[in-house]
Amino acid sequence: MFSTMSEIEVIVAIKLGTNYSTNAYMIKHVDPDDRKMLNVPFKTQATSQMSVTTPTVALFEDNGTISITSYGSEAELQYIHLADRRNHLLFREFIWHLFCADDTIPENLSDVNGKQMNSVDVLSFVIEYMVSHVKSETGEDIRGIPITFKYVFTIPTCSCDDAKRFMSEAAVKAGCSPNDVIVVEEAAAALQFYMNSQYEGELQVLEDVSDRCYLVVELEDDNVTISILNHIKDGRIGIVYRNTAEVWGSCQVQKDFVEMLNCETSKTLLDGFFEQYPLEHFELIQEIKKKIKYTLPETSRVAIKMSALMLEKNGSLEDMQKSVAKSGLNDKINFRLDKCIISPEAFKSLFIDAGKQIVQYLKKELPTDLSDIHCIILIGEFAQSPILQDIIKSSFSTVIIHIPGEANMAAIKGSVLVGENNVDVDTSGCICGSKESVNENVCSSQGNDQRPSTKEPVSTPTKINPSKNRNKSRLCVIQ
């Protein structure tokens, strides 16, 4: 099929999220039915684990010349094992601090120890690393035919006004041609994926969508973003409203899980455990996150594998079980061999605070009537939780709720489709900030260019949880 082609176009999508990063690519074929989206997974060398997502964390080395040495979980684990960190810089949450923490982009970013580095340099190094990671799989040609690359980069939907320009500038500095760079908001990419969700075999492509309003809810580990979007008749996507809040989602569930064990066993299970045993801590967090992602509301019991080192550090299983018995919760929590067995009621109770905050935030900040919303689309890491899905569905029972099969991959897959179809995203009438910023129904004129003309300045996130505590739990660092 490629023999008659002089060049092959490959669309590369890179998502640098506030919590997680991922990628996808697609080789454009003459026959649309032959299209396939692929991911290049990230490998954590110390654990030999492969994952299509990895934490948005970058490790740099400065020996006179700055270079990026590792990214994601690998960066965290390498940093822990460094004997001398004086020539290294570790950046966590840098996308949040770049685009979401303020109305303007900072000139410099501070690493975990306060060392500073030019913001555009941090981002361009990361982009170069991520693009190189994808190209390690695609190569520069297919059967001798050169590849031309089109790049699509996502930005958080809650980003400040200058984020698109800044991301494009960093991509060009990283070596991408300016004519081959597209920057798109995550919510818009997710909506594009919903409109073309035949990739998941769930829905047909929707044709008449210009009179519909969609609420995209991005549920990440420690923040929630809501956006109201519509499809404009000429194929563009319009973002008419967006707001974000620092709601601890799955981070809250992880935190409450550890606090529950600490309370019932009279132990401080993770005190200093991350620093002493980073690999074991990493595996524990992966285990907890897996249970959050896959545990159904009707599950009869939840078994979480515990590290042998953690159990040894905190005494014998018999002592821990005796502590549980004294608390009167012997029927709720049990320790057997290397497992912590939790009753379904106790496990689901961990979601109460996180679920309640998310539902309250949606109801409080939604600047339109639910009857105006055609569909609520849930995306993000925490959106994968069946228990949370059940909470949200029961709270918004009158609205269609769509959750992609891989809710954490909806934005990156949609980004590929944005690149394939050159979809333009219109934010010229977008209202940003709290519900109080809205003086009219944002869905009253969807599907045309008569959306609200008054644009409020981008506001800082709603502080449901104090900003100084945001994502500081060790449970949310190694994810």
Side-chain angles (χ1 to χ4, degrees):
M1 125 143 249
F2 296 120
S3 58
T4 59
M5 302 173 67
S6 59
E7 61 181 25
I8 298 170
E9 184 176 55
V10 173
I11 301 168
V12 175
I14 304 291
K15 176 190 172 186
L16 303 176
T18 55
N19 291 141
Y20 294 95
S21 299
T22 188
N23 65 75
Y25 72 92
M26 182 176 72
I27 302 172
K28 288 192 69 172
H29 286 259
V30 176
D31 185 355
D33 292 335
D34 289 335
R35 297 172 301 171
K36 288 184 180 179
M37 286 191 205
L38 301 170
N39 307 98
V40 183
F42 302 92
K43 183 176 182 180
T44 303
Q45 298 294 336
T47 62
S48 298
Q49 292 186 358
M50 305 284 282
S51 175
V52 295
T53 64
T54 196
T56 302
V57 179
L59 179 62
F60 292 83
E61 185 175 15
D62 184 2
N63 287 321
T65 302
I66 296 179
S67 61
I68 184 169
T69 61
S70 54
Y71 193 81
S73 299
E74 184 70 11
E76 287 279 12
L77 294 174
Q78 281 190 15
Y79 185 74
I80 285 294
H81 287 102
L82 286 174
D84 185 353
R85 300 177 182 174
R86 288 176 296 179
N87 294 331
H88 289 81
L89 298 90
L90 184 73
F91 290 92
R92 301 185 186 118
E93 300 189 271
F94 61 91
I95 292 296
W96 178 272
H97 291 299
L98 270 177
F99 298 143
C100 308
D102 208 339
D103 296 346
T104 58
I105 294 172
E107 182 179 352
N108 297 300
L109 287 171
S110 298
D111 85 332
V112 295
N113 294 312
K115 298 178 185 177
Q116 290 202 331
M117 185 172 166
N118 183 265
S119 296
V120 73
D121 288 341
V122 172
L123 189 56
S124 62
F125 272 118
V126 169
I127 290 174
E128 184 178 5
Y129 181 93
M130 296 289 281
V131 168
S132 177
H133 178 70
V134 175
K135 287 186 176 181
S136 68
E137 180 78 16
T138 65
E140 298 286 348
D141 65 81
I142 298 176
R143 300 175 191 172
I145 303 173
I147 296 175
T148 60
F149 291 94
K150 178 185 286 186
Y151 304 98
V152 186
F153 300 95
T154 70
I155 56 172
T157 311
C158 59
S159 295
C160 63
D161 288 343
D162 207 27
K164 281 191 172 182
R165 179 203 61 79
F166 191 85
M167 179 68 83
S168 297
E169 178 185 331
V172 171
K173 187 169 184 178
C176 303
S177 170
N179 296 325
D180 296 324
V181 172
I182 297 174
V183 181
V184 63
E185 292 83 355
E186 291 176 18
L191 180 59
Q192 183 68 16
F193 180 62
Y194 169 75
M195 297 300 176
N196 293 268
S197 53
Q198 79 276 18
Y199 278 98
E200 299 214 354
E202 295 177 357
L203 301 169
Q204 297 299 316
V205 180
L206 304 178
E207 295 179 357
D208 183 17
V209 297
S210 59
D211 61 342
R212 293 175 177 174
C213 219
Y214 300 88
L215 173 63
V216 177
V217 182
E218 302 169 56
L219 300 167
E220 297 298 346
D221 281 349
D222 55 9
N223 63 87
V224 175
T225 298
I226 60 174
S227 313
I228 297 178
L229 305 91
N230 57 54
H231 253 248
I232 305 171
K233 290 181 179 179
D234 59 7
R236 290 178 294 155
I237 291 175
I239 302 179
V240 297
Y241 176 80
R242 61 186 181 186
N243 192 16
T244 190
E246 294 177 31
V247 179
W248 282 36
S250 60
C251 273
Q252 184 71 48
V253 178
Q254 296 171 39
K255 172 177 170 287
D256 288 348
F257 167 74
V258 173
E259 287 188 352
M260 178 180 69
L261 292 187
N262 287 345
C263 177
E264 308 310 338
T265 63
S266 302
K267 303 285 184 180
T268 307
L269 290 180
L270 290 183
D271 185 22
F273 190 73
F274 174 78
E275 288 77 8
Q276 294 180 51
Y277 310 108
L279 291 181
E280 288 75 12
H281 186 278
F282 175 83
E283 290 172 354
L284 173 64
I285 299 310
Q286 296 302 312
E287 176 76 2
I288 297 173
K289 290 177 72 65
K290 185 167 65 175
K291 299 303 179 184
I292 291 173
K293 180 177 176 180
Y294 293 114
T295 300
L296 300 173
E298 63 271 18
T299 298
S300 60
R301 70 169 194 169
V302 180
I304 295 180
K305 185 177 180 179
M306 307 290 285
S307 163
L309 285 170
M310 179 185 295
L311 296 174
E312 179 182 342
K313 176 179 181 291
N314 288 280
S316 67
L317 285 176
E318 290 79 7
D319 290 340
M320 295 175 72
Q321 194 61 55
K322 286 178 182 177
S323 296
V324 172
K326 289 179 181 178
S327 71
L329 293 178
N330 212 25
D331 59 334
K332 304 293 185 184
I333 303 173
N334 285 282
F335 292 93
R336 299 175 188 169
L337 299 178
D338 62 343
K339 300 287 196 306
C340 175
I341 311 297
I342 307 175
S343 72
E345 295 80 10
F347 189 74
K348 283 190 285 187
S349 71
L350 299 173
F351 290 76
I352 291 176
D353 284 346
K356 184 186 298 183
Q357 285 194 52
I358 290 169
V359 168
Q360 287 178 347
Y361 170 65
L362 291 176
K363 289 183 175 180
K364 177 184 176 184
E365 293 298 333
L366 190 64
T368 188
D369 295 330
L370 276 176
S371 59
D372 295 324
I373 300 295
H374 170 70
C375 178
I376 297 177
I377 304 171
L378 303 182
I379 65 170
E381 287 289 330
F382 199 30
Q384 299 174 102
S385 166
I387 296 177
L388 180 67
Q389 293 171 11
D390 191 58
I391 292 172
I392 293 178
K393 285 178 179 179
S394 62
S395 301
F396 300 96
S397 57
T398 62
V399 185
I400 298 171
I401 296 180
H402 175 69
I403 304 134
E406 292 181 288
N408 62 330
M409 300 299 287
I412 193 67
K413 290 181 177 180
S415 301
V416 175
L417 299 175
V418 167
E420 180 188 29
N421 299 294
N422 293 310
V423 177
D424 182 38
V425 179
D426 185 353
T427 61
S428 59
C430 180
I431 297 175
C432 310
S434 66
K435 182 179 179 179
E436 285 70 27
S437 306
V438 183
N439 54 21
E440 61 181 284
N441 189 332
V442 297
C443 287
S444 62
S445 55
Q446 71 269 20
N448 53 51
D449 284 328
Q450 299 176 355
R451 293 183 304 281
S453 57
T454 303
K455 185 172 182 179
E456 298 290 332
V458 176
S459 65
T460 53
T462 303
K463 303 258 188 328
I464 291 182
N465 287 61
S467 178
K468 65 181 180 180
N469 294 326
R470 184 179 177 277
N471 205 15
K472 298 305 179 185
S473 167
R474 282 297 186 189
L475 286 169
C476 296
V477 173
I478 292 283
Q479 300 176 32

